[in-house]
Amino acid sequence: MTKNLSRARQARASVDALHARRRYRLATLAALFSLFALIVAWHEAQRPRHPHKDEMPITQAHADDASVAADSSGTPTPAADLVKRGEYLARVGDCAACHTADKTRPFAGGLAIETPFGTVVTPNITPDPDTGIGQWTDEDFLRAMHEGIGKSGERLYPVFPYVEYTKLAEHDVLAIRAYLNSLAPIHYTPPHSTVKFPFDQRWLMAVWNMFNFSEERFVPDPKQSAEWNRGAYLVEGLAHCGECHTPRNATYGLKADSRLSGAVLRGSRAYNITPDKTSGVGNWSDEELEKYLSTGAAPGRPTATGAMARVVENSTQYLTREDLRSIVQYLRSVPAISGGETRAHGQ
């Protein structure tokens, strides 16, 4: 009897110790989560709330200073030159590529983008008031482009390249906004994104931003030419070339030390475009690079295929000669990286 009681006490003590260890682990996890939440809250509190001063080296078309016109009913509408400039900038940014799943519904979204964390479906950015961005203010639009935050305060996923768009001057963002507002509104609600847990918790993007995002406008380098600065603004900002041509780190952010060295993204190869003569485009002439960007082909060089062919079709073929030259000049100056995603011979 005594032995049985002793064994029962030992078993009870063992169970109590197990429960105590579980309570300790839960308490530790709760404490760590609370600390994590406090760090996120502190980071959010430190984020600048005032707009950055835009500093641009590029002579603008003064679209931001254009007067406001009125239509036949007397309703104010953006001046034609602002809309025209916004259309060009939207072409450079290749907005249609991601926000058009069905060519009969341009800019109405619905394109499913596969990521390691699930499927993100692009939103409707036509001016429809119910399913698009018709009720967005200019401030809402600026916040999305510059900070990656939607109208309702939700964190946007970085498949929307706000990491690069943050560099855009405010008047360029508002020109794009004016162009989108000029489009025919399309009443269409795209399917919901299906992002895996815990990545479906959008607030976690604040943590991702701590490691992969810095909100800042483009500031020209006074030691460089206006053409170089224009190219930097386009490549690193509006054209967001690094989104495809830069490999990703463990958190799916861009690897800063391998910039533009090529990557495989969603099964599509984006090759090394640094000036390395073997792995990159260092042995391409300026004329060949400009021709490739404007037509998708250059004599004696590979023809653009896959995703790059679509970039040429939707975006780079519309670039002005000045912008093409600026992009090429900037690409000549970035650090040459040997290796990376290199084209095979004859590719």
Side-chain angles (χ1 to χ4, degrees):
M1 177 74 74
T2 304
K3 289 182 178 179
N4 289 338
L5 287 173
S6 176
R7 286 172 183 169
R9 290 193 190 99
Q10 289 175 355
R12 192 178 305 113
S14 178
V15 169
D16 289 344
L18 178 62
H19 288 166
R21 286 196 296 272
R22 285 178 178 172
R23 286 194 295 271
Y24 176 78
R25 285 198 292 267
L26 287 172
T28 301
L29 286 173
L32 289 173
F33 182 82
S34 298
L35 178 62
F36 169 73
L38 284 172
I39 292 172
V40 172
W42 178 85
H43 182 263
E44 284 294 285
Q46 301 303 311
R47 186 166 53 87
R49 300 294 175 183
H50 302 291
H52 293 247
K53 181 180 178 182
D54 292 326
E55 297 186 55
M56 283 297 300
I58 303 171
T59 302
Q60 300 292 346
H62 301 292
D64 50 312
D65 298 323
S67 60
V68 174
D71 61 19
S72 58
S73 66
T75 304
T77 58
D81 55 348
L82 182 61
V83 172
K84 184 177 180 181
R85 177 170 178 75
E87 180 180 16
Y88 177 75
L89 295 173
R91 291 280 196 186
V92 178
D94 204 7
C95 304
C98 288
H99 289 279
T100 303
D102 180 349
K103 290 187 177 180
T104 66
R105 293 195 298 250
F107 295 98
L111 184 71
I113 300 177
E114 301 296 333
T115 77
F117 314 105
T119 303
V120 178
V121 181
T122 58
N124 183 338
I125 58 171
T126 73
D128 182 75
D130 299 317
T131 64
I133 59 172
Q135 295 189 43
W136 286 43
T137 64
D138 286 352
E139 289 70 25
D140 293 333
F141 194 77
L142 282 164
R143 197 178 185 204
M145 294 284 281
H146 283 161
E147 302 177 44
I149 298 177
K151 179 176 175 58
S152 301
E154 74 278 15
R155 293 279 175 178
L156 303 180
Y157 292 117
V159 289
F160 173 65
Y162 63 86
V163 172
E164 285 83 12
Y165 287 166
T166 189
K167 297 180 175 65
L168 299 185
E170 181 175 307
H171 48 250
D172 280 345
V173 174
L174 293 179
I176 294 171
R177 159 84 172 160
Y179 167 63
L180 294 176
N181 277 352
S182 75
L183 300 173
I186 298 174
H187 190 81
Y188 170 69
T189 301
H192 291 294
S193 297
T194 53
V195 179
K196 303 170 187 175
F197 181 83
F199 307 108
D200 59 342
Q201 305 300 303
R202 287 180 179 264
W203 65 271
L204 287 173
M205 288 308 307
V207 181
W208 188 90
N209 287 345
M210 291 171 65
F211 297 97
N212 299 292
F213 173 60
S214 177
E215 186 198 345
E216 56 185 2
R217 302 309 158 257
F218 177 79
V219 178
D221 184 343
K223 297 178 182 179
Q224 300 287 351
S225 66
E227 186 176 61
W228 183 95
N229 277 297
R230 186 182 186 90
Y233 180 70
L234 294 171
V235 171
E236 302 298 336
L238 185 56
H240 58 280
C241 303
E243 280 293 310
C244 291
H245 288 277
T246 298
R248 304 273 169 171
N249 59 31
T251 65
Y252 209 61
L254 300 178
K255 286 185 177 179
D257 59 351
S258 303
R259 203 162 55 97
L260 303 178
S261 65
V264 177
L265 188 65
R266 296 187 289 275
S268 183
R269 290 174 178 270
Y271 294 104
N272 186 333
I273 55 172
T274 73
D276 185 82
K277 291 186 178 296
T278 303
S279 305
V281 294
N283 64 349
W284 289 49
S285 68
D286 290 357
E287 293 74 19
E288 287 172 335
L289 285 171
E290 290 175 29
K291 187 78 171 175
Y292 182 84
L293 288 172
S294 60
T295 68
R301 298 296 181 183
T303 300
T305 58
M308 189 62 204
R310 292 190 291 274
V311 170
V312 174
E313 178 186 359
N314 295 317
S315 178
T316 56
Q317 69 161 314
Y318 297 97
L319 268 61
T320 64
R321 188 72 188 278
E322 179 185 11
D323 282 348
L324 290 171
R325 283 198 303 267
S326 297
I327 287 172
V328 170
Q329 288 309 305
Y330 176 70
L331 290 178
R332 294 293 192 205
S333 72
V334 302
I337 297 177
S338 178
E341 195 62 33
T342 307
R343 289 181 184 271
H345 180 70
Q347 223 177 352

